[in-house]
């Protein structure tokens, strides 16, 4: 029997399975990690909020204390520390004048004593160092007192005050240390003197104090019969500080140390 296609008839397509398994969607590991991080941050933020809520009184108390301390420090500086600093500087002016006159050689001992003990109703370095401890002027008074005592032959007092002096000034700090060496030297303690001269020569190296204390270190070492170290100190002056006054006769000293 002959077959034929009816007009408009189409061969039916295969039915797509409705229950076809859904393809697995691959999840990027980075996306997973990022999500984990955000979750962790959310949890941390939540815990932080809980902590703040539970401890807000303590936190506000700490903030209040910090604020109070800050305000207190500002007020202390403005109404106590700064006026005290100004007063100390004013008190010290006359003592500095007496010290300078003594250094120039006019009635040195008596002027050094006036600088130390005070005159004309003004404090001397000793009282300023004590009564204005903690101020810049009080600290500087320790240096002046130490040098004044050194010049009138009171070596132990000189050492005591010079050891209290602290400074970032590259010249004064080295001079103070070297002056302690001078005090030991005048006490006939060359080994101790040498130690301080070496420290002074290595402190904030510069063209003024370094060759000065290298020379003293070399001379002291030479006096201790330590020619090797003496030669080292003299040679450093010759090689690094040849334009300084200490280098003027350095060749002679090098010859003595060889």
């Amino acid at each position: 029997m002959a077959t034929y296609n009816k007009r408009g008839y189409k061969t039916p397509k295969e039915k797509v399975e409705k229950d076809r398994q859904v393809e697995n969607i691959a999840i990027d590991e980075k996306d997973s990690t990022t999500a984990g991080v955000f979750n962790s941050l959310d949890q941390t933020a939540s815990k932080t909020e809980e902590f703040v809520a539970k401890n807000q009184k303590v936190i506000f108390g700490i903030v209040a204390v910090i604020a109070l301390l800050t305000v207190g420090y500002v007020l202390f500086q403005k109404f106590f520390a700064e006026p005290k600093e100004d007063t100390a500087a004013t008190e010290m002016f006359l003592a500095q004048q007496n010290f300078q006159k003594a250094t120039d050689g006019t009635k040195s001992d008596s002027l050094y004593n006036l600088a130390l003990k005070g005159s004309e109703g003004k404090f001397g370095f000793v009282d300023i160092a004590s009564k204005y401890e903690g101020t810049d002027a009080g600290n500087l008074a320790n240096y002046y007192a130490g040098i004044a005592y050194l010049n009138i032959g009171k070596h132990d007092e000189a050492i005591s005050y010079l050891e209290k002096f602290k400074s970032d000034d590259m010249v004064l700090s080295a001079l103070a240390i070297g002056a302690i060496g001078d005090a030991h030297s005048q006490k006939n303690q060359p080994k101790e003197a040498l130690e301080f001269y070496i420290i002074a020569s290595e402190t904030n190296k510069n063209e003024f104090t370094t060759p000065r204390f290298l020379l003293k270190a070399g001379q002291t070492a030479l006096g201790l019969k330590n020619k090797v170290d003496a030669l080292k100190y003299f040679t450093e002056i010759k090689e690094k500080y040849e334009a300084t006054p200490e280098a003027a006769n350095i060749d002679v000293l090098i010859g003595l140390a060889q």
Side-chain angles (χ1 to χ4, degrees):
M1 181 175 177
T3 62
Y4 62 94
N5 292 330
K6 293 182 179 180
R7 184 179 296 177
Y9 177 80
K10 294 182 180 179
T11 303
K13 295 181 180 179
E14 294 183 5
K15 186 179 180 180
V16 179
E17 295 182 3
K18 293 182 179 180
D19 59 345
R20 185 174 58 185
Q21 186 176 6
V22 179
E23 295 180 356
N24 291 331
I25 300 174
I27 299 176
D28 194 318
E29 184 180 348
K30 293 181 180 179
D31 294 337
S32 177
T33 301
T34 303
V37 169
F38 279 113
N39 287 334
S40 177
L41 289 174
D42 288 340
Q43 292 174 3
T44 302
S46 178
K47 290 179 180 179
T48 301
E49 290 172 358
E50 291 178 6
F51 176 82
V52 172
K54 291 179 179 179
N55 299 279
Q56 57 182 335
K57 289 184 178 180
V58 176
I59 294 171
F60 290 152
I62 293 173
V63 172
V65 169
I66 293 173
L68 185 62
L69 290 174
T70 302
V71 172
Y73 175 77
V74 172
L75 293 175
F76 173 82
Q77 290 293 319
K78 184 173 182 62
F79 295 106
F80 181 76
E82 291 178 7
K84 186 177 181 181
E85 190 74 62
D86 293 339
T87 302
T90 301
E91 284 284 349
M92 196 162 65
F93 180 73
L94 184 58
Q96 287 175 310
Q97 284 189 321
N98 287 326
F99 181 91
Q100 187 59 52
K101 290 176 183 177
T103 304
D104 293 339
T106 306
K107 298 180 180 179
S108 295
D109 283 359
S110 61
L111 285 170
Y112 277 129
N113 277 305
L114 288 176
L116 286 164
K117 303 301 182 182
S119 62
E120 299 180 26
K122 297 293 183 181
F123 289 142
F125 296 130
V126 172
D127 282 332
I128 293 169
S130 174
K131 297 180 183 298
Y132 296 97
E133 184 179 1
T135 66
D136 291 339
N139 180 49
L140 187 58
N142 284 316
Y143 174 79
Y144 278 119
I147 299 300
Y149 275 126
L150 180 65
N151 279 281
I152 61 176
K154 293 188 176 182
H155 307 119
D156 292 332
E157 290 87 343
I159 292 170
S160 177
Y161 278 96
L162 289 167
E163 286 179 338
K164 296 176 186 177
F165 175 69
K166 307 297 178 185
S167 177
D168 293 329
D169 186 281
M170 70 177 187
V171 173
L172 280 183
S173 57
L175 287 175
I177 296 169
I180 295 175
D182 290 339
H184 282 294
S185 179
Q186 292 176 21
K187 290 181 66 176
N188 196 27
Q189 297 174 334
K191 291 182 180 180
E192 291 82 353
L194 179 58
E195 291 178 7
F196 282 97
Y197 288 148
I198 294 171
I199 295 171
S201 71
E202 295 173 348
T203 300
N204 301 318
K205 290 194 173 185
N206 59 83
E207 296 284 327
F208 175 58
T209 62
T210 303
R212 175 176 181 170
F213 294 116
L214 280 173
L215 181 61
K216 291 190 175 188
Q219 291 170 330
T220 304
L222 199 60
L224 291 167
K225 309 300 182 185
N226 188 346
K227 290 188 174 183
V228 174
D229 284 344
L231 180 60
K232 180 176 66 175
Y233 303 135
F234 294 146
T235 301
E236 185 173 348
I237 294 173
K238 180 178 177 63
E239 292 178 350
K240 297 181 180 180
Y241 304 98
E242 59 181 356
T244 64
E246 288 78 12
N249 298 310
I250 202 65
D251 288 333
V252 174
L253 293 171
I254 288 175
L256 293 173
Q258 288 175 334

